[in-house]
Amino acid sequence: MKTISSMVGSLVISVAVIMVFSNCDQSTDANKSSNDTIPSIRQGVYGYVEFWEGDFMPTVLPEISGGTITPVERTIEIHTPTRFDAGNQVDYSAFYRNLFTPCVAKTNSNAKGFFQVELPPGSYSLFVIENSLYYANGGDGQGYLCPVTVLRDSLSFVKL
């Protein structure tokens, strides 16, 4: 079993699209369109979840990589804007044991890593559930984790 620190070093998650619900006990199908990687919503967030494993450090020859990137099926939770101190962080990693902000939507990515969610205009934070932990790699410089803004009648693509 991998330790949290080795997962942090080898895991990078890309995130996108989700479908809104009144609470996080409900989840949706990631594939609502006939093509399982094209958004079928008109307003909200969409994207991908990918598992990065290995050494991605620059090499002499850029086409040579010691790592692999694999699309994965994962649960994605959307919370109200969440600051780094609004949860119990695991050491100094991108993982959190729990969060103190409300979950507004929850969905799953499909086998190609694609997910989408219809959301009202506003600001949100995205989290990928990995081994019962919340994963959020990235912030906005003001302390908010995996931030995304949804504008009226538009889609936001998120890749973390």
Side-chain angles (χ1 to χ4, degrees):
M1 177 171 230
K2 292 183 177 182
T3 65
I4 295 297
S5 61
S6 69
M7 287 190 330
V8 170
S10 65
L11 177 66
V12 175
I13 304 282
S14 298
V15 178
V17 184
I18 304 169
M19 301 189 75
V20 171
F21 290 98
S22 60
N23 66 56
C24 281
D25 293 332
Q26 300 173 340
S27 59
T28 67
D29 253 344
N31 182 11
K32 291 291 185 184
S33 64
S34 59
N35 185 323
D36 58 0
T37 59
I38 296 177
S40 61
I41 60 174
R42 293 180 181 222
Q43 179 179 290
V45 180
Y46 74 102
Y48 294 89
V49 177
E50 298 172 330
F51 189 85
W52 290 42
E53 188 170 33
D55 184 359
F56 289 90
M57 293 302 291
T59 63
V60 176
L61 300 172
E63 62 274 2
I64 298 174
S65 173
T68 58
I69 301 171
T70 308
V72 291
E73 296 180 50
R74 294 291 190 273
T75 299
I76 299 99
E77 284 191 11
I78 300 169
H79 285 246
T80 57
T82 305
R83 293 180 52 85
F84 71 93
D85 56 356
N88 293 327
Q89 188 176 19
V90 177
D91 299 322
Y92 294 101
S93 72
F95 292 93
Y96 291 79
R97 284 191 183 86
N98 53 35
L99 300 172
F100 307 127
T101 56
C103 177
V104 297
K106 181 178 179 178
T107 193
N108 296 306
S109 58
N110 64 21
K112 294 183 179 180
F114 178 81
F115 71 98
Q116 63 183 346
V117 65
E118 200 168 77
L119 294 166
S123 296
Y124 303 94
S125 289
L126 302 175
F127 297 91
V128 176
I129 307 304
E130 182 72 29
N131 297 325
S132 77
L133 297 173
Y134 296 91
Y135 176 81
N137 189 20
D140 64 0
Q142 297 176 9
Y144 289 97
L145 297 168
C146 296
V148 63
T149 299
V150 174
L151 301 175
R152 185 172 183 236
D153 298 324
S154 68
L155 293 173
S156 296
F157 178 79
V158 180
K159 188 169 185 175
L160 305 171

Short mmCIF file of all heavy atoms in Angstrom, two decimals, residues 64-119:
data_model
loop_
_atom_site.label_atom_id
_atom_site.label_comp_id
_atom_site.label_asym_id
_atom_site.label_seq_id
_atom_site.Cartn_x
_atom_site.Cartn_y
_atom_site.Cartn_z
N ILE A 64 10.74 11.55 -23.94
CA ILE A 64 10.94 10.42 -23.04
C ILE A 64 10.38 10.79 -21.67
O ILE A 64 10.78 11.78 -21.07
CB ILE A 64 12.43 10.05 -22.92
CG1 ILE A 64 12.98 9.63 -24.27
CG2 ILE A 64 12.62 8.96 -21.87
CD1 ILE A 64 14.48 9.39 -24.25
N SER A 65 9.44 9.99 -21.18
CA SER A 65 8.85 10.25 -19.87
C SER A 65 8.90 8.99 -19.04
O SER A 65 8.70 7.89 -19.55
CB SER A 65 7.40 10.70 -20.03
OG SER A 65 6.79 10.79 -18.78
N GLY A 66 9.19 9.13 -17.79
CA GLY A 66 9.22 7.99 -16.89
C GLY A 66 7.90 7.76 -16.21
O GLY A 66 7.80 6.95 -15.30
N GLY A 67 6.84 8.47 -16.61
CA GLY A 67 5.55 8.35 -15.95
C GLY A 67 4.45 7.96 -16.89
O GLY A 67 4.60 7.96 -18.11
N THR A 68 3.32 7.61 -16.29
CA THR A 68 2.13 7.28 -17.06
C THR A 68 0.96 8.12 -16.56
O THR A 68 0.87 8.44 -15.37
CB THR A 68 1.76 5.78 -16.93
OG1 THR A 68 1.55 5.49 -15.56
CG2 THR A 68 2.85 4.89 -17.48
N ILE A 69 0.07 8.45 -17.48
CA ILE A 69 -1.15 9.18 -17.15
C ILE A 69 -2.31 8.31 -17.57
O ILE A 69 -2.42 7.92 -18.73
CB ILE A 69 -1.21 10.54 -17.88
CG1 ILE A 69 -0.01 11.39 -17.51
CG2 ILE A 69 -2.52 11.25 -17.55
CD1 ILE A 69 0.13 12.66 -18.34
N THR A 70 -3.18 7.98 -16.60
CA THR A 70 -4.28 7.07 -16.85
C THR A 70 -5.60 7.72 -16.45
O THR A 70 -5.74 8.18 -15.32
CB THR A 70 -4.11 5.78 -16.03
OG1 THR A 70 -2.80 5.25 -16.26
CG2 THR A 70 -5.15 4.75 -16.38
N PRO A 71 -6.59 7.78 -17.37
CA PRO A 71 -7.92 8.27 -16.96
C PRO A 71 -8.51 7.30 -15.93
O PRO A 71 -8.32 6.08 -16.04
CB PRO A 71 -8.74 8.24 -18.24
CG PRO A 71 -7.81 7.91 -19.34
CD PRO A 71 -6.55 7.38 -18.76
N VAL A 72 -9.19 7.83 -14.93
CA VAL A 72 -9.72 6.98 -13.87
C VAL A 72 -11.16 7.35 -13.50
O VAL A 72 -11.58 8.49 -13.71
CB VAL A 72 -8.86 7.03 -12.59
CG1 VAL A 72 -7.51 6.36 -12.80
CG2 VAL A 72 -8.67 8.46 -12.10
N GLU A 73 -11.87 6.39 -12.97
CA GLU A 73 -13.20 6.61 -12.43
C GLU A 73 -13.04 6.98 -10.96
O GLU A 73 -12.44 6.24 -10.20
CB GLU A 73 -14.05 5.35 -12.57
CG GLU A 73 -14.29 4.97 -14.02
CD GLU A 73 -15.12 3.71 -14.15
OE1 GLU A 73 -16.20 3.63 -13.52
OE2 GLU A 73 -14.69 2.81 -14.89
N ARG A 74 -13.56 8.12 -10.60
CA ARG A 74 -13.49 8.60 -9.22
C ARG A 74 -14.76 9.37 -8.89
O ARG A 74 -15.46 9.85 -9.77
CB ARG A 74 -12.29 9.53 -8.99
CG ARG A 74 -10.92 8.89 -9.12
CD ARG A 74 -10.64 7.92 -7.99
NE ARG A 74 -9.26 7.48 -7.96
CZ ARG A 74 -8.78 6.45 -8.64
NH1 ARG A 74 -9.57 5.74 -9.41
NH2 ARG A 74 -7.51 6.11 -8.54
N THR A 75 -15.01 9.56 -7.62
CA THR A 75 -16.10 10.42 -7.16
C THR A 75 -15.55 11.83 -7.04
O THR A 75 -14.44 12.03 -6.54
CB THR A 75 -16.63 9.94 -5.79
OG1 THR A 75 -17.14 8.62 -5.96
CG2 THR A 75 -17.72 10.85 -5.27
N ILE A 76 -16.33 12.80 -7.50
CA ILE A 76 -15.95 14.20 -7.44
C ILE A 76 -17.00 14.92 -6.62
O ILE A 76 -18.20 14.75 -6.86
CB ILE A 76 -15.86 14.85 -8.85
CG1 ILE A 76 -14.80 14.15 -9.69
CG2 ILE A 76 -15.56 16.33 -8.74
CD1 ILE A 76 -15.37 13.14 -10.62
N GLU A 77 -16.58 15.69 -5.65
CA GLU A 77 -17.50 16.50 -4.85
C GLU A 77 -17.24 17.98 -5.13
O GLU A 77 -16.10 18.41 -5.26
CB GLU A 77 -17.32 16.25 -3.35
CG GLU A 77 -17.91 14.96 -2.87
CD GLU A 77 -17.97 14.85 -1.36
OE1 GLU A 77 -17.73 15.86 -0.64
OE2 GLU A 77 -18.26 13.74 -0.89
N ILE A 78 -18.34 18.72 -5.21
CA ILE A 78 -18.26 20.17 -5.39
C ILE A 78 -18.76 20.81 -4.10
O ILE A 78 -19.86 20.52 -3.64
CB ILE A 78 -19.12 20.63 -6.56
CG1 ILE A 78 -18.63 19.96 -7.83
CG2 ILE A 78 -19.07 22.15 -6.70
CD1 ILE A 78 -19.54 20.12 -8.99
N HIS A 79 -17.93 21.68 -3.54
CA HIS A 79 -18.25 22.36 -2.29
C HIS A 79 -18.36 23.86 -2.54
O HIS A 79 -17.89 24.38 -3.55
CB HIS A 79 -17.15 22.12 -1.26
CG HIS A 79 -17.18 20.75 -0.68
ND1 HIS A 79 -17.47 20.51 0.65
CD2 HIS A 79 -16.98 19.53 -1.23
CE1 HIS A 79 -17.44 19.22 0.88
NE2 HIS A 79 -17.14 18.59 -0.24
N THR A 80 -18.97 24.54 -1.59
CA THR A 80 -18.90 25.99 -1.62
C THR A 80 -17.42 26.35 -1.53
O THR A 80 -16.59 25.51 -1.18
CB THR A 80 -19.69 26.59 -0.42
OG1 THR A 80 -19.15 26.07 0.79
CG2 THR A 80 -21.17 26.27 -0.53
N PRO A 81 -17.02 27.57 -1.88
CA PRO A 81 -15.60 27.91 -1.86
C PRO A 81 -14.94 27.49 -0.54
O PRO A 81 -15.42 27.82 0.54
CB PRO A 81 -15.59 29.43 -2.04
CG PRO A 81 -16.86 29.71 -2.80
CD PRO A 81 -17.86 28.71 -2.27
N THR A 82 -13.85 26.74 -0.67
CA THR A 82 -13.20 26.12 0.48
C THR A 82 -11.76 26.59 0.59
O THR A 82 -10.98 26.41 -0.35
CB THR A 82 -13.25 24.58 0.36
OG1 THR A 82 -14.61 24.18 0.20
CG2 THR A 82 -12.65 23.91 1.57
N ARG A 83 -11.43 27.17 1.72
CA ARG A 83 -10.06 27.60 1.97
C ARG A 83 -9.24 26.44 2.50
O ARG A 83 -9.78 25.47 3.04
CB ARG A 83 -10.04 28.76 2.96
CG ARG A 83 -10.66 30.04 2.40
CD ARG A 83 -10.62 31.16 3.40
NE ARG A 83 -9.30 31.39 3.95
CZ ARG A 83 -8.36 32.14 3.39
NH1 ARG A 83 -8.59 32.73 2.24
NH2 ARG A 83 -7.19 32.30 3.98
N PHE A 84 -7.93 26.54 2.36
CA PHE A 84 -7.03 25.47 2.79
C PHE A 84 -7.17 25.15 4.27
O PHE A 84 -6.89 24.04 4.71
CB PHE A 84 -5.57 25.81 2.46
CG PHE A 84 -5.01 26.91 3.31
CD1 PHE A 84 -4.32 26.61 4.48
CD2 PHE A 84 -5.17 28.24 2.97
CE1 PHE A 84 -3.80 27.62 5.28
CE2 PHE A 84 -4.65 29.25 3.76
CZ PHE A 84 -3.97 28.95 4.92
N ASP A 85 -7.62 26.11 5.07
CA ASP A 85 -7.76 25.88 6.51
C ASP A 85 -9.17 25.43 6.91
O ASP A 85 -9.49 25.34 8.08
CB ASP A 85 -7.34 27.11 7.31
CG ASP A 85 -8.11 28.36 6.91
OD1 ASP A 85 -8.93 28.31 5.96
OD2 ASP A 85 -7.90 29.41 7.56
N ALA A 86 -10.01 25.10 5.92
CA ALA A 86 -11.39 24.66 6.19
C ALA A 86 -11.50 23.14 6.14
O ALA A 86 -12.48 22.58 5.67
CB ALA A 86 -12.36 25.30 5.21
N GLY A 87 -10.47 22.48 6.60
CA GLY A 87 -10.47 21.02 6.65
C GLY A 87 -9.23 20.55 7.38
O GLY A 87 -8.37 21.34 7.75
N ASN A 88 -9.16 19.26 7.59
CA ASN A 88 -8.00 18.67 8.26
C ASN A 88 -7.03 18.13 7.20
O ASN A 88 -7.23 17.05 6.66
CB ASN A 88 -8.43 17.55 9.21
CG ASN A 88 -9.23 18.08 10.37
OD1 ASN A 88 -9.01 19.19 10.84
ND2 ASN A 88 -10.18 17.30 10.84
N GLN A 89 -5.99 18.90 6.93
CA GLN A 89 -5.00 18.53 5.93
C GLN A 89 -4.12 17.39 6.43
O GLN A 89 -3.76 17.33 7.60
CB GLN A 89 -4.14 19.75 5.59
CG GLN A 89 -3.21 19.55 4.42
CD GLN A 89 -2.46 20.82 4.06
OE1 GLN A 89 -2.35 21.75 4.86
NE2 GLN A 89 -1.93 20.85 2.86
N VAL A 90 -3.80 16.46 5.52
CA VAL A 90 -2.92 15.35 5.85
C VAL A 90 -1.48 15.81 5.64
O VAL A 90 -1.06 16.06 4.51
CB VAL A 90 -3.22 14.11 4.96
CG1 VAL A 90 -2.25 12.99 5.27
CG2 VAL A 90 -4.66 13.67 5.15
N ASP A 91 -0.75 15.97 6.74
CA ASP A 91 0.61 16.49 6.72
C ASP A 91 0.63 17.78 5.89
O ASP A 91 -0.18 18.65 6.12
CB ASP A 91 1.58 15.44 6.19
CG ASP A 91 1.61 14.19 7.07
OD1 ASP A 91 1.54 14.35 8.31
OD2 ASP A 91 1.68 13.07 6.53
N TYR A 92 1.53 17.89 4.93
CA TYR A 92 1.57 19.06 4.06
C TYR A 92 1.20 18.68 2.64
O TYR A 92 1.69 19.26 1.67
CB TYR A 92 2.96 19.71 4.10
CG TYR A 92 3.27 20.29 5.46
CD1 TYR A 92 4.09 19.61 6.35
CD2 TYR A 92 2.72 21.49 5.85
CE1 TYR A 92 4.37 20.13 7.61
CE2 TYR A 92 2.99 22.02 7.11
CZ TYR A 92 3.81 21.33 7.97
OH TYR A 92 4.07 21.85 9.21
N SER A 93 0.32 17.71 2.50
CA SER A 93 -0.04 17.18 1.19
C SER A 93 -1.26 17.90 0.61
O SER A 93 -1.79 18.84 1.21
CB SER A 93 -0.37 15.69 1.32
OG SER A 93 -1.61 15.50 1.99
N ALA A 94 -1.70 17.43 -0.54
CA ALA A 94 -2.90 17.95 -1.19
C ALA A 94 -4.14 17.16 -0.77
O ALA A 94 -5.19 17.27 -1.38
CB ALA A 94 -2.73 17.88 -2.71
N PHE A 95 -4.02 16.36 0.28
CA PHE A 95 -5.12 15.53 0.78
C PHE A 95 -5.68 16.10 2.08
O PHE A 95 -4.94 16.64 2.92
CB PHE A 95 -4.64 14.10 1.03
CG PHE A 95 -4.30 13.36 -0.23
CD1 PHE A 95 -3.01 13.36 -0.72
CD2 PHE A 95 -5.28 12.68 -0.93
CE1 PHE A 95 -2.69 12.68 -1.88
CE2 PHE A 95 -4.98 12.00 -2.09
CZ PHE A 95 -3.68 12.01 -2.58
N TYR A 96 -7.00 15.93 2.26
CA TYR A 96 -7.70 16.38 3.46
C TYR A 96 -8.54 15.23 4.00
O TYR A 96 -9.15 14.49 3.22
CB TYR A 96 -8.60 17.58 3.15
CG TYR A 96 -7.79 18.81 2.81
CD1 TYR A 96 -7.23 18.98 1.55
CD2 TYR A 96 -7.57 19.79 3.77
CE1 TYR A 96 -6.45 20.08 1.26
CE2 TYR A 96 -6.79 20.90 3.48
CZ TYR A 96 -6.24 21.04 2.22
OH TYR A 96 -5.47 22.13 1.94
N ARG A 97 -8.57 15.08 5.32
CA ARG A 97 -9.38 14.02 5.94
C ARG A 97 -10.85 14.37 5.94
O ARG A 97 -11.70 13.52 5.78
CB ARG A 97 -8.91 13.76 7.37
CG ARG A 97 -7.63 12.99 7.42
CD ARG A 97 -7.32 12.51 8.84
NE ARG A 97 -6.03 11.83 8.82
CZ ARG A 97 -4.86 12.42 8.95
NH1 ARG A 97 -4.80 13.72 9.10
NH2 ARG A 97 -3.75 11.72 8.91
N ASN A 98 -11.17 15.62 6.17
CA ASN A 98 -12.55 16.07 6.13
C ASN A 98 -12.56 17.56 5.81
O ASN A 98 -11.55 18.23 5.92
CB ASN A 98 -13.29 15.77 7.43
CG ASN A 98 -12.56 16.27 8.65
OD1 ASN A 98 -11.93 17.33 8.60
ND2 ASN A 98 -12.63 15.54 9.74
N LEU A 99 -13.74 18.03 5.41
CA LEU A 99 -13.91 19.43 5.06
C LEU A 99 -15.04 20.00 5.88
O LEU A 99 -15.98 19.29 6.24
CB LEU A 99 -14.22 19.57 3.56
CG LEU A 99 -13.17 19.02 2.61
CD1 LEU A 99 -13.70 19.04 1.18
CD2 LEU A 99 -11.89 19.82 2.71
N PHE A 100 -14.97 21.31 6.15
CA PHE A 100 -15.99 21.95 6.96
C PHE A 100 -16.91 22.84 6.14
O PHE A 100 -17.67 23.63 6.70
CB PHE A 100 -15.33 22.78 8.08
CG PHE A 100 -14.36 21.97 8.89
CD1 PHE A 100 -13.06 22.41 9.08
CD2 PHE A 100 -14.72 20.75 9.45
CE1 PHE A 100 -12.16 21.67 9.83
CE2 PHE A 100 -13.83 20.00 10.20
CZ PHE A 100 -12.54 20.47 10.39
N THR A 101 -16.87 22.72 4.81
CA THR A 101 -17.75 23.48 3.93
C THR A 101 -18.81 22.54 3.35
O THR A 101 -18.56 21.35 3.16
CB THR A 101 -16.96 24.15 2.79
OG1 THR A 101 -16.24 23.14 2.08
CG2 THR A 101 -16.02 25.21 3.32
N PRO A 102 -19.99 23.07 3.03
CA PRO A 102 -21.06 22.22 2.50
C PRO A 102 -20.76 21.71 1.09
O PRO A 102 -20.23 22.43 0.25
CB PRO A 102 -22.28 23.14 2.47
CG PRO A 102 -21.91 24.39 3.18
CD PRO A 102 -20.42 24.44 3.26
N CYS A 103 -21.13 20.47 0.87
CA CYS A 103 -21.06 19.87 -0.45
C CYS A 103 -22.36 20.22 -1.17
O CYS A 103 -23.45 20.05 -0.62
CB CYS A 103 -20.92 18.35 -0.32
SG CYS A 103 -20.92 17.48 -1.89
N VAL A 104 -22.25 20.74 -2.40
CA VAL A 104 -23.45 21.12 -3.15
C VAL A 104 -23.76 20.15 -4.29
O VAL A 104 -24.86 20.16 -4.83
CB VAL A 104 -23.35 22.56 -3.70
CG1 VAL A 104 -23.26 23.56 -2.55
CG2 VAL A 104 -22.18 22.71 -4.65
N ALA A 105 -22.78 19.32 -4.69
CA ALA A 105 -23.01 18.36 -5.76
C ALA A 105 -21.97 17.25 -5.66
O ALA A 105 -20.90 17.42 -5.08
CB ALA A 105 -22.92 19.03 -7.12
N LYS A 106 -22.33 16.12 -6.25
CA LYS A 106 -21.44 14.96 -6.23
C LYS A 106 -21.71 14.15 -7.50
O LYS A 106 -22.86 13.98 -7.90
CB LYS A 106 -21.74 14.13 -4.99
CG LYS A 106 -20.91 12.90 -4.80
CD LYS A 106 -21.33 12.24 -3.49
CE LYS A 106 -20.57 10.98 -3.23
NZ LYS A 106 -20.96 10.38 -1.94
N THR A 107 -20.65 13.67 -8.14
CA THR A 107 -20.80 12.86 -9.34
C THR A 107 -19.61 11.92 -9.46
O THR A 107 -18.71 11.94 -8.61
CB THR A 107 -20.95 13.74 -10.60
OG1 THR A 107 -21.39 12.93 -11.69
CG2 THR A 107 -19.64 14.42 -10.96
N ASN A 108 -19.60 11.12 -10.50
CA ASN A 108 -18.49 10.21 -10.77
C ASN A 108 -17.96 10.44 -12.17
O ASN A 108 -18.73 10.73 -13.08
CB ASN A 108 -18.95 8.75 -10.63
CG ASN A 108 -19.37 8.44 -9.22
OD1 ASN A 108 -18.62 8.65 -8.29
ND2 ASN A 108 -20.58 7.96 -9.06
N SER A 109 -16.67 10.28 -12.34
CA SER A 109 -16.09 10.32 -13.67
C SER A 109 -16.30 8.96 -14.31
O SER A 109 -16.44 7.95 -13.63
CB SER A 109 -14.61 10.68 -13.62
OG SER A 109 -13.89 9.76 -12.82
N ASN A 110 -16.32 8.93 -15.65
CA ASN A 110 -16.50 7.66 -16.35
C ASN A 110 -15.14 7.01 -16.62
O ASN A 110 -14.11 7.49 -16.15
CB ASN A 110 -17.31 7.85 -17.64
CG ASN A 110 -16.62 8.74 -18.67
OD1 ASN A 110 -15.41 8.93 -18.65
ND2 ASN A 110 -17.41 9.28 -19.59
N ALA A 111 -15.13 5.92 -17.35
CA ALA A 111 -13.90 5.17 -17.62
C ALA A 111 -12.86 6.00 -18.38
O ALA A 111 -11.68 5.70 -18.33
CB ALA A 111 -14.21 3.89 -18.38
N LYS A 112 -13.29 7.05 -19.06
CA LYS A 112 -12.36 7.94 -19.77
C LYS A 112 -11.95 9.12 -18.90
O LYS A 112 -11.29 10.04 -19.36
CB LYS A 112 -12.99 8.42 -21.07
CG LYS A 112 -13.18 7.28 -22.05
CD LYS A 112 -13.73 7.76 -23.37
CE LYS A 112 -13.89 6.58 -24.32
NZ LYS A 112 -14.42 7.00 -25.61
N GLY A 113 -12.38 9.12 -17.64
CA GLY A 113 -12.03 10.19 -16.71
C GLY A 113 -12.93 11.41 -16.81
O GLY A 113 -12.79 12.35 -16.05
N PHE A 114 -13.89 11.40 -17.73
CA PHE A 114 -14.74 12.56 -17.99
C PHE A 114 -15.86 12.70 -16.96
O PHE A 114 -16.46 11.72 -16.55
CB PHE A 114 -15.37 12.43 -19.38
CG PHE A 114 -16.30 13.54 -19.73
CD1 PHE A 114 -15.81 14.75 -20.19
CD2 PHE A 114 -17.67 13.39 -19.61
CE1 PHE A 114 -16.66 15.79 -20.53
CE2 PHE A 114 -18.53 14.42 -19.94
CZ PHE A 114 -18.03 15.62 -20.40
N PHE A 115 -16.12 13.93 -16.55
CA PHE A 115 -17.29 14.21 -15.72
C PHE A 115 -17.80 15.60 -16.01
O PHE A 115 -17.11 16.42 -16.60
CB PHE A 115 -16.99 14.00 -14.23
CG PHE A 115 -16.10 15.04 -13.63
CD1 PHE A 115 -16.63 16.10 -12.92
CD2 PHE A 115 -14.73 14.94 -13.75
CE1 PHE A 115 -15.79 17.05 -12.34
CE2 PHE A 115 -13.90 15.88 -13.17
CZ PHE A 115 -14.43 16.94 -12.47
N GLN A 116 -19.04 15.83 -15.62
CA GLN A 116 -19.65 17.14 -15.82
C GLN A 116 -20.69 17.37 -14.73
O GLN A 116 -21.22 16.43 -14.15
CB GLN A 116 -20.31 17.23 -17.19
CG GLN A 116 -21.44 16.26 -17.39
CD GLN A 116 -22.01 16.33 -18.80
OE1 GLN A 116 -21.73 17.27 -19.55
NE2 GLN A 116 -22.80 15.36 -19.16
N VAL A 117 -20.96 18.64 -14.47
CA VAL A 117 -21.99 18.99 -13.50
C VAL A 117 -22.61 20.33 -13.87
O VAL A 117 -21.91 21.27 -14.24
CB VAL A 117 -21.46 19.02 -12.05
CG1 VAL A 117 -20.44 20.10 -11.86
CG2 VAL A 117 -22.59 19.15 -11.07
N GLU A 118 -23.91 20.35 -13.82
CA GLU A 118 -24.64 21.58 -14.08
C GLU A 118 -24.70 22.35 -12.76
O GLU A 118 -25.08 21.79 -11.73
CB GLU A 118 -26.04 21.23 -14.57
CG GLU A 118 -26.72 22.35 -15.30
CD GLU A 118 -27.95 21.84 -16.01
OE1 GLU A 118 -28.97 21.63 -15.32
OE2 GLU A 118 -27.89 21.64 -17.23
N LEU A 119 -24.30 23.62 -12.80
CA LEU A 119 -24.25 24.43 -11.59
C LEU A 119 -24.81 25.82 -11.86
O LEU A 119 -24.63 26.34 -12.97
CB LEU A 119 -22.80 24.58 -11.11
CG LEU A 119 -22.08 23.35 -10.62
CD1 LEU A 119 -20.59 23.59 -10.51
CD2 LEU A 119 -22.65 22.92 -9.28
#
